[in-house]
Amino acid sequence: MADSSSAEVGFLAEMGGILGAAHCISDPDLKASYELDWTRRFGGKSLVVLRPADTAQVAAVLAACNRCKVGMVPQGGNTGLVGGSVPRNGEAVLSLGRLNKVLSCDADLGLLVAEAGTTLAVAQKAAAGVGAELGIDIAARDSATLGGMVATNAGGIHVIRHGPMRARLAGLEVVLADGTIATRLSGLIKDNVGYDLAQIMAGSEGTLGVVTKVAIHLVPLPRFRVTALVALRGPSQSGEPAEAVRAVSELAVALALRVRRRVDGVDAIELVFADGMELVREVAGLPAPPDPGAGAWLLVEASGATDPTEMLAEAVDGAEGVSEVAVADEAAGRSRLWAYRERHTEAIATLGVPHKLDVTLPLDELAGFTGAVREVVSAALGPEAEGSRVVLFGHLGDGNVHVNVIGPEPEDHRADDAVFNMVVARRGSISAEHGVGIAKLAFVGAARSPGDLAVMRRIKDALDPSGVLNPGVLFPAS
Ligand code: FAD
Ligand code: MLT
Ligand code: ZN
C-alpha cells in the first residue's frame, strides 16, 4: 500500500463498507490463525483479514486492493504446505471461508458445482449423496477447500486413477485483480472456444485470480472397493540403513509395477517405511500392522463394478519381499488400514517444524533416491545433522516421495537445497503436488526453461499488472 497511514485508514474504512466491520478482522489475536501456515514454518503479519460472503464482495475487495496497491493473499483452509497461503509482508488476507455452499450436484450430468471455500469433505459428502465421487482425495479433506485445491493443483491418493485437481476440473468462476469476474461453469466436456480459463488458473497459487466457484467432474461410486496393506522385507534389513531403505524401496517399486500390470481399477499405491510406521503408531496409538518388523508397507487400493479382491491377491501373492498382508473391503476396515498412511503428516509435525520437500522421481530413480537422501541431508547439515530426522513416505504409484526434514531452523534451507539438487540431477520434479509457494522459489529456474518462465511471467503481468495477488509467491517479489 502507498505507505501513509491515512491511505491505510481509508482502505480499511472502504473494506468495512463493503464487508461490514464484523468481517474485517484487525484484532491481532483473531488474525493469528490466518497468519501462520499449517507447518508453522511460514507466516507473517497481515494488514487485515477480510471475509467476503460472495463473488460480488470478492470483486469489490479486489478492485479496491488493485487501486490502492494493497497486496492480497487468498486463503482457503490454510492447509497448504509451501507458505503460499499466509501473509509475509503486511498483505491483507482474503479468506474464502464464507463461500462454502454446494450449489448443485448431479450424477447424470456428472457435475458438482460449489463455492470455492467449500471443504473437500463437504463436497465429497454431497457427491456420495447422489451415488458419485469426485475422483480426488487428500488427508486434509476436512479443512482443505476446493478453491485452494484448484490453486495448488492438489494431487493426493487417487491421482494414478483420476489425475490431479486440474484433471477433475470442469470449469470455474474467478475474480481477477481488477475485479473482473470471469465465469466458465457449463461443465460441458466438449467446449472449444478459445483459451481454457480453468486450466490457466489450476496451479496458479493465488497469483492470477481468486477462484470463487468450482465445477468438478464426478465419477460413479464403485460397487466394490478393496484395500490391502502389504508388508515388505528387504534382503538386507539388518545391514546399512541406507542400503536397507534402497533395497526395500526396490521391492516396493517392483510390486507397484506388478500391481499396475495385473489389477484393473487401481485407485492408490502408497508407501510408508518402518521409522514412519513406528512414529505414527506411537502418536496415533494404532495397533500393530501386518508384520510389525517389516522394512516398508505398500498400501494398495482398487475398485470397480466387479470385486477386485482376487485380482489383487493374485498380484500380491508370491511377489518378492511380501511377508504379510492385511485386507479390508468395508469402510471401517479400509480406514483402519489408511490410518497408518494418512496420519503421517500430523505424526511428523509432533517432532518439530518440518521442512516438507514434496518431490517426484522417475520410478527407475526412486529407490536410489530414497536410499541416498538421508546421507545427502546429513552432509548438508554437517554436525547439526545429529539432532535432525528425515521421514519419508509418499504416493509411490506416481513416483511422489514426501521428504520431511525435522531439525533445521525454519529459515535454514541447506537440507532443502541439497534434496532439490538431488531431485533435479535425477530428472525429477521439485514440486510434485504442493506447489512452489515461497518455499521453492530458488528452484523454479532449475525446473522450468527460460522460455517457459517468460510465458508464465507474461501471463502474470497481463492478469495482475500491479502485482497485488499473492506477491512473492511463484515469482520472487519484485
Ligand atoms: P490454502 O492452504 O488456504 O492455500 C493454498 C494456496 O492456494 C495459496 O497459495 C493460496 O493463496 C491459494 N488459494 C487458496 N484458495 C484460493 C482461491 N479460492 N483462489 C485462488 N487462490 C487460492 N496436498 C496434495 O496435493 N496432496 C495431498 O495428499 C495432501 N495431503 C495433505 C494432508 C495434510 C494433513 C495437510 C495438512 C495438507 C495436505 N496437502 C496435500 C496440502 C494441502 O491440503 C493442499 O495444498 C490443498 O490444496 C490446500 O487447500 P487449502 O484450501 O487449504 O488452501
Ligand atoms: C500427504 O500425502 O499426506 C500430503 O501430501 C501431506 C504431506 O506431505 O505431509
Ligand atoms: Zn501427498
Side-chain angles (χ1 to χ4, degrees), residues 7 10 44 65 75 84 99 104 121 128 222 228-229 240 247 267 367 423 477:
C65 288
Q75 189 179 95
L99 279 76
S104 65
L229 188 63
E240 278 299 303
D267 291 319
V423 167

Side-chain angles (χ1 to χ4, degrees), residues 413-438:
H413 51 85
R414 288 172 299 164
D416 308 45
D417 294 355
V419 172
F420 292 147
N421 278 323
M422 204 181 160
V423 167
V424 171
R426 289 172 185 259
R427 303 174 286 121
S429 172
I430 55 130
S431 173
E433 57 175 11
H434 295 166
V436 170
I438 58 167

Side-chain angles (χ1 to χ4, degrees), residues 127-182:
V130 298
E133 57 187 13
L134 304 180
I136 189 150
D137 199 8
I138 63 178
R141 57 184 75 82
D142 290 323
S143 307
T145 64
L146 299 181
M149 292 178 69
V150 171
T152 57
N153 185 28
I157 56 183
H158 291 153
V159 168
I160 54 170
R161 179 90 182 257
H162 300 295
M165 193 63 174
R166 69 162 71 252
R168 311 306 317 136
L169 201 51
L172 49 66
E173 175 186 81
V174 62
V175 181
L176 302 184
D178 64 359
T180 302
I181 300 169

Side-chain angles (χ1 to χ4, degrees), residues 74 76-80 84-85 138 145 148-149 151-152 154-156 205-206 209 211 433 470:
N78 198 13
T79 64
S85 55
I138 63 178
T145 64
M149 292 178 69
T152 57
E205 300 190 44
V211 178
E433 57 175 11
N470 231 354

Side-chain angles (χ1 to χ4, degrees), residues 81 139 341-342 345 356 393 395 402 404 433-434:
L81 300 171
R341 160 62 183 85
E342 288 207 324
T345 310
K356 299 195 81 71
F393 66 96
H395 313 281
H402 292 310
N404 295 267
E433 57 175 11
H434 295 166

Side-chain angles (χ1 to χ4, degrees), residues 218-242:
L218 298 174
V219 291
L221 266 177
R223 261 189 83 198
F224 299 93
R225 177 165 270 154
V226 61
T227 307
L229 188 63
V230 184
L232 290 165
R233 270 181 183 261
S236 59
Q237 200 122 312
S238 52
E240 278 299 303

